[in-house]
Amino acid sequence: MKRHHQKNIRHSNYSPIEFHPTVKATPKKDASSVASPCSAGHSTRPSNPQSSSSSKSLTTLPLTRLSPSPSKPWKGKKVTPEDYIAADGVLHPLDALNFCAAGALLWHARSNELQMLLAVESRKPGRGSDSPGEGILRELYNFLGGKRDFVEEHPRLVAARECWEETGGRLSAAARKRMEENAKPVIWHSGSKYALFIHELGAADSDLAERVASSGRPPNPEHDANLRGLVWVPLRLLLNRTWRTSMLHPFASQQAKAALPAVQQLFEEQCSHVSRQPSTHEATSKADDEIAGQSNGLAEQLALVAINSDPVPMMCAGRN
């Protein structure tokens, strides 16, 4: 798997992007659809992807039609030129056909805080980054994800397989299946033809980073030599521009910027959900206190987000 990167990445204040609801959009058929090449920032996968144990996830597709695609026929093909968010997790048809790579922002509520699971990689910050020591190898955070292997693969399938590989096969089978079937929303990053899904992990995967660390070795060195480990990080940091541009791989920083509206909506929904949890007559005062503590904790996180984050536009309920 090779990670994407872009040349001359510019970090600027957040500008609004279009939000798409659950209604599937049809691609534009005018000159606004332009070709966007896949960048070459991902490390190499095994030469025969079908021989890998990760091919088990491909059972949802007709196996007789599957064959490695060394020519990458989706490269250089037209895609939607604008970044967007699709709440239903379905890319525009043109983008679903010609996407290059996919991954996931995996999150879970841990210790009364929303946290995201990130990859720790040995990388060079890159030109235009706020990181000190430009060009010097250092550890940066990245989302889990990577390149498409087959013409027949859909974006969710690629994201689920890559997350499974980058956790060293430790991602639970249930989580992988849920990602393949229903991961949403999805952020489309047109510059690298990348689909980033936002997906909640269950309790079975709440200790993924700890299990990887306990092995005493990188999660999957044969798959990605740059991948050093996994770490849980507070999700609220993603909305802070200074943190994004100094701690994330430049490519991931651009993805995170495109995902800002969806991340803020996630905070608002979680805060609202916890506040609405009903208490029964059998509930003890301790349980009520725990619910109240969860609500207060998420409210405090949302307040911190409002203070420290870039300006984020309100999500639209419909589209033009």
Side-chain angles (χ1 to χ4, degrees):
M1 179 210 75
K2 284 190 174 181
R3 295 242 167 237
H4 289 293
H5 66 277
Q6 293 174 306
K7 295 181 179 180
N8 300 323
I9 291 176
R10 294 175 295 173
H11 299 284
S12 59
N13 290 332
Y14 176 75
S15 58
I17 62 177
E18 183 180 0
F19 173 74
H20 298 276
T22 55
V23 179
K24 186 184 295 184
T26 56
K28 299 178 181 179
K29 296 184 179 180
D30 55 25
S32 62
S33 292
V34 297
S36 176
C38 299
S39 55
H42 287 264
S43 59
T44 305
R45 193 183 313 287
S47 58
N48 184 2
Q50 281 189 303
S51 65
S52 170
S53 59
S54 66
S55 62
K56 293 179 181 179
S57 65
L58 300 177
T59 55
T60 56
L61 297 170
L63 294 179
T64 56
R65 295 177 55 219
L66 286 179
S67 60
S69 306
S71 63
K72 311 295 183 187
W74 49 84
K75 294 182 67 174
K77 298 295 182 63
K78 292 181 179 180
V79 294
T80 302
E82 303 89 7
D83 293 350
Y84 62 84
I85 301 173
D88 60 357
V90 179
L91 293 177
H92 293 181
L94 191 64
D95 306 328
L97 182 66
N98 295 325
F99 78 99
C100 282
L105 191 173
L106 302 174
W107 68 275
H108 184 72
R110 289 165 42 97
S111 303
N112 198 27
E113 183 174 40
L114 301 186
Q115 298 189 18
M116 55 184 167
L117 185 67
L118 297 178
V120 181
E121 299 179 343
S122 297
R123 296 282 185 179
K124 294 181 180 180
R127 185 175 301 175
S129 171
D130 290 349
S131 302
E134 181 180 313
I136 299 175
L137 197 66
R138 58 168 295 215
E139 288 189 344
L140 293 172
Y141 297 141
N142 208 338
F143 300 118
L144 278 66
K147 282 190 173 182
R148 176 184 188 180
D149 283 337
F150 305 98
V151 172
E152 294 86 353
E153 286 184 306
H154 57 75
R156 285 182 175 133
L157 200 65
V158 175
R161 185 197 68 232
E162 288 292 332
C163 289
W164 184 84
E165 289 177 348
E166 295 197 350
T167 58
R170 295 174 179 85
L171 181 71
S172 68
R176 183 173 176 176
K177 182 178 180 181
R178 285 195 301 270
M179 288 183 66
E180 291 176 349
E181 295 176 348
N182 198 38
K184 61 182 179 182
V186 62
I187 294 89
W188 171 248
H189 191 251
S190 63
S192 51
K193 301 172 70 172
Y194 194 103
L196 178 70
F197 294 89
I198 297 180
H199 183 73
E200 180 182 8
L201 292 176
D205 296 293
S206 62
D207 62 344
L208 261 176
E210 292 80 1
R211 282 190 278 132
V212 169
S214 67
S215 70
R217 64 191 297 270
N220 195 340
E222 295 79 14
H223 176 70
D224 187 350
N226 293 314
L227 182 59
R228 310 308 302 166
L230 304 176
V231 64
W232 290 103
V233 177
L235 182 63
R236 56 184 166 81
L237 293 177
L238 205 61
L239 289 95
N240 184 286
R241 180 185 180 278
T242 301
W243 185 87
R244 288 198 313 269
T245 55
S246 62
M247 299 303 296
L248 288 178
H249 185 281
F251 169 65
S253 178
Q254 293 298 301
Q255 288 182 322
K257 181 179 177 181
L260 289 180
V263 174
Q264 179 141 356
Q265 180 169 325
L266 174 60
F267 270 103
E268 293 170 354
E269 289 175 349
Q270 290 299 306
C271 186
S272 175
H273 172 72
V274 173
S275 299
R276 291 197 306 267
Q277 288 190 38
S279 59
T280 63
H281 294 294
E282 292 79 15
T284 63
S285 58
K286 180 179 179 181
D288 289 337
D289 290 343
E290 289 177 352
I291 292 176
Q294 292 173 7
S295 179
N296 291 336
L298 286 169
E300 290 173 0
Q301 292 178 52
L302 190 58
L304 286 172
V305 166
I307 294 171
N308 297 320
S309 67
D310 295 334
V312 178
M314 293 295 292
M315 296 274 222
C316 300
R319 55 181 309 233
N320 296 329

